[in-house]
Structures are given as structure tokens and as C-alpha cells.
Amino acid sequence: MAATPLPLSIAIISLNEEGNLRRCLQSAADLAREIVVVDSGSTDRTCDVAREFGARVQHQDYLGQREQKNVALSFCTQPWVLLLDCDEELSPELRSAILAFFESGDADRFAGAKMARKVWFMGRWITHGDWYPDRKLRLFRRDKGRSGGNAAHDKVEVDGPVTVLPGDLHHYSFRDMAHYIGKIKGFADAFLEKQKSEGARWSLAATLFRPWWRFFRAYVLRRGFLDGFPGLWIAVATAFFAFVRYSRKYEDDAANKHRQG
């Protein structure tokens, strides 16, 4: 337990995350002077769990990941923010690194800090391939950072120097294979909207090449094979996901041509 809470707000967005939120807050709540949870209409005990840890719970109809997180940031009052997802938790090493970041004076030298995110999948931690280290900028000065990126991939953008903390941010993103497969459509939809907003055209070369490249990068170059069968499964699934994403523009173009007669 932190002796004195840090000048830190923990910011979280939620929707029916009762099963994850307690683990998340148990790993981090006592580090911060303030916890802000922006909920978009949970029907389980998510909000009750948040309040058990002293969180200030605000309601906001869902605006998308990027804007929902900016709403959460707007409610924060502390100089620093730790932006977490409900299905994440601080490892003991990362927790110690955050404390050291403030105690050593690094908080005066940097505007933000990245951390490696490590996924639990198929009964083990995934430590190679495309899923690791997956560094995320989650700790930052409130007046220097915001949630940016695009509809497909939101990310924190910071104005100032950034360092990297030791330790991992544990990520319980997928309960099982079915859960991962079920998310493919949502991610593919977001990618299609990004392509349309950029005026991109469908490319056969990209549709064929990108899946093979994603497999080769994940399984060979980034040594996914060291994670055993889960590493192989992830590399194959990632390649298939890429094929689906890049195929969606062909389907959308064909549908538009049909509507136009």
C-alpha cells in the first residue's frame, strides 16, 4: 500500500465490467488521490464496485473509445492521470515503478510514461509476437495529454518527453478463443470507417499481402513460436483478422455500386 497517495487521478471508462473492475482497482486504487469512473449505462454491479473503492462515478452515453476517455479526463483534477481499462491491472513491478517515477523526480522531467502490456490467453502470459510488449502511454500530466488516435485505434497523445517504465500492465482482454473471434467484426467495422474517412480504395495486393506479413512478423520476426501453440494460434488469428479487415472495403465498394445502379 502506498504510504501517501500520489498527485494522481485514475481514470476509467466502463460498461458492465463488474467481473474485471475489482481486480483493476485492487491493483492501483490506493496509489491515487482520486478515482474517476465514467460509465455508459452498466446494468450489473460495476458502479457499486467502483464506489467501494471511493471512485467518483459519472454517467455518459457512449461516444466511442477516444471521446469517452476524454470525458473521463475532463473530470480529473490531479496533476497526473493514470488511464486504465477495466480489464487491466498493475503488476507488482509496474506498481513499484510508478511509485519510483514520482519519488525519483522523473515526474518533473517527463510529461508521460509508457508501460508494456502483457496479455493472459489460453492459460498463460503471452510474452512474444504482436501482443508483447505492446507499449501503451497511460501515465501522463493532465495538462499535457489527451485521448487521440482514430476510431480504429485510440491512443494517448502527450506534448512533451516520454519515458518507459519497467514492469507490465496485465491485460485480461480475451476470456477465450470465442471471445477473441467475437471481437473481429467490431474491429473490422472500425477499420472500414477509418478507410472510408481517408478516402482509401480497396487493394487486392494489400488484402493478400498484409495477412501473410502479419503472420510472418508475429510468428517469426517477433518470435511468437516461443509461446507454444497459443503463439501459433495468435499469429494465424491475427493474419485472418487482417484478411477480414482489408476485405471489408471490397464488400463496401460493391454494395455502393449496387445501390447506385
Side-chain angles (χ1 to χ4, degrees), residues 27-238:
S27 74
D30 66 309
L31 291 177
R33 292 178 183 168
E34 172 184 64
I35 303 169
V36 174
V37 174
V38 172
D39 189 78
S40 52
S42 292
T43 56
D44 63 3
R45 295 189 64 255
T46 295
C47 296
D48 293 333
V49 171
R51 293 187 182 101
E52 286 178 24
F53 287 87
R56 179 155 50 98
V57 179
Q58 303 284 345
H59 174 80
Q60 171 63 57
D61 291 341
Y62 189 63
L63 302 172
Q65 289 284 307
R66 179 181 58 192
E67 294 310 319
Q68 197 79 354
K69 289 177 180 179
N70 279 324
V71 170
L73 295 181
S74 73
F75 288 116
C76 295
T77 63
Q78 294 299 305
W80 282 82
V81 176
L82 178 62
L83 185 61
L84 295 175
D85 290 340
C86 291
D87 59 1
E88 297 171 341
E89 70 170 345
L90 306 184
S91 67
E93 295 79 10
L94 179 57
R95 178 187 167 84
S96 296
I98 292 173
L99 287 169
F101 178 80
F102 287 91
E103 292 168 355
S104 67
D106 280 349
D108 298 322
R109 294 189 287 271
F110 296 99
K114 292 183 177 181
M115 51 201 70
R117 191 165 66 167
K118 185 165 64 175
V119 176
W120 179 263
F121 190 62
M122 292 192 192
R124 64 174 292 167
W125 292 112
I126 304 302
T127 56
H128 303 87
D130 277 355
W131 285 11
Y132 189 81
D134 188 29
R135 289 190 176 92
K136 300 294 183 183
L137 202 166
R138 294 300 187 81
L139 180 66
F140 55 94
R141 288 194 60 89
R142 180 171 56 87
D143 60 349
K144 297 289 187 180
R146 64 183 299 276
S147 179
N150 53 55
H153 297 287
D154 67 278
K155 62 180 181 179
V156 173
E157 298 171 347
V158 168
D159 180 17
V162 173
T163 188
V164 178
L165 299 179
D168 293 321
L169 182 63
H170 291 165
H171 195 200
Y172 299 88
S173 50
F174 306 113
R175 294 185 301 272
D176 48 33
M177 296 179 189
H179 189 206
Y180 176 88
I181 293 169
K183 287 194 172 186
I184 288 178
K185 180 183 183 301
F187 289 134
D189 288 347
F191 185 74
L192 174 61
E193 292 305 313
K194 176 177 178 289
Q195 286 184 305
K196 290 164 68 173
S197 68
E198 295 173 349
R201 302 182 64 178
W202 177 72
S203 166
L204 176 61
T207 304
L208 295 177
F209 173 75
R210 293 296 298 181
W212 287 107
W213 164 244
R214 291 298 299 271
F215 176 85
F216 180 75
R217 184 181 72 179
Y219 197 65
V220 179
L221 297 183
R222 295 181 175 174
R223 301 185 297 169
F225 60 87
L226 293 177
D227 284 322
F229 180 72
L232 174 62
W233 194 94
I234 291 167
V236 172
T238 300

